[in-house]
Amino acid sequence: MSDNCLHIVPIHKEEYPNTELKSKEILNWFQGKGLVESELSDCILSMDKKGYRFKPNIVSIFNDGELWAYSDSLITHGLELVSGKRTVFHPMEGMYLEITCPDCNSIIDENIGFDWVANWSENSGTNYPNCPNCGNGRHLTEYTIEPEWAFSNIGISLWNTHWDLKSEFITEMKKLFGTEVIVVPVRI
């Protein structure tokens, strides 16, 4: 059996402010809706972090959630909060990326794209790389990236859940983050 998750990440250019406070606000939202337990546990796929185990009501954030088999027997089955450190949220399986310039629609060489991602992650170089074709500099979040990748110092991951999120849930996440969000599906 393989694991999967959904990363939900705000789209922004500069460092997201007050990530610890925002993470607590998001956790309070999940707990207030009865979606996760109140205590940390080993319910996410991480060696050095813990998450918040899902409660049966987690199915309420998914379309056809009642058809999804919630299971309290899954070891990896919870909410992960990511905050503080720049994080690249990527789809894992296949681990390729195709970056397209929004100005000239040229596809960036994959090695150059991976260099851009590494520079952003390490906060070295520029956050506004120049397209090798047209020369325009854009923030990494402004380039079209396939499959979906996200870049932020805050985000959440839903481990081993259904993937068809309700639009109302996405709207709530946009309100909580105060910006548009990107959903990155991951299969491991």
Side-chain angles (χ1 to χ4, degrees):
M1 182 175 154
S2 66
D3 289 301
N4 70 70
C5 80
L6 289 174
H7 298 305
I8 302 168
V9 183
I11 300 172
H12 57 95
K13 293 180 186 174
E14 305 307 323
E15 297 300 302
Y16 194 95
N18 302 315
T19 58
E20 290 298 321
L21 185 63
K22 183 55 70 174
S23 288
K24 287 178 184 172
E25 182 182 345
I26 291 168
L27 175 60
N28 288 338
W29 185 88
F30 272 87
Q31 289 174 336
K33 301 284 184 190
L35 304 175
V36 297
E37 295 178 352
S38 59
E39 301 297 319
L40 285 167
S41 65
D42 291 324
C43 62
I44 61 173
L45 198 58
S46 176
M47 299 292 285
D48 58 347
K49 288 179 67 179
K50 293 185 178 193
Y52 296 88
R53 181 163 291 287
F54 292 131
K55 289 182 166 183
N57 195 34
I58 193 66
V59 299
S60 69
I61 69 171
F62 299 99
N63 290 311
D64 297 326
E66 67 279 357
L67 300 177
W68 171 56
Y70 168 83
S71 173
D72 60 0
S73 65
L74 287 173
I75 294 170
T76 305
H77 193 58
L79 170 69
E80 179 179 2
L81 300 166
V82 177
S83 67
K85 181 179 177 238
R86 283 184 173 207
T87 302
V88 177
F89 298 88
H90 55 80
M92 293 287 265
E93 191 173 285
M95 190 82 163
Y96 74 93
L97 79 157
E98 181 178 285
I99 299 178
T100 304
C101 175
D103 295 321
C104 69
N105 291 320
S106 66
I107 296 174
I108 309 304
D109 177 80
E110 188 175 53
N111 291 327
I112 292 172
F114 277 115
D115 286 343
W116 289 359
V117 169
N119 288 340
W120 179 87
S121 177
E122 296 162 5
N123 203 13
S124 61
T126 180
N127 291 331
Y128 293 82
N130 293 328
C131 171
N133 186 49
C134 70
N136 291 339
R138 293 289 195 134
H139 192 276
L140 192 54
T141 60
E142 294 179 294
Y143 285 88
T144 302
I145 302 177
E146 293 293 330
E148 301 275 354
W149 287 49
F151 309 92
S152 183
N153 57 329
I154 188 170
I156 63 172
S157 299
L158 308 174
W159 284 97
N160 286 327
T161 62
H162 192 53
W163 283 17
D164 191 13
L165 293 166
K166 287 184 176 178
S167 61
E168 297 86 359
F169 173 74
I170 296 297
T171 298
E172 285 297 316
M173 292 299 101
K174 289 176 184 179
K175 286 180 191 174
L176 279 168
F177 283 116
T179 184
E180 289 294 318
V181 297
I182 187 169
V183 177
V184 179
V186 178
R187 192 171 303 281
I188 301 171

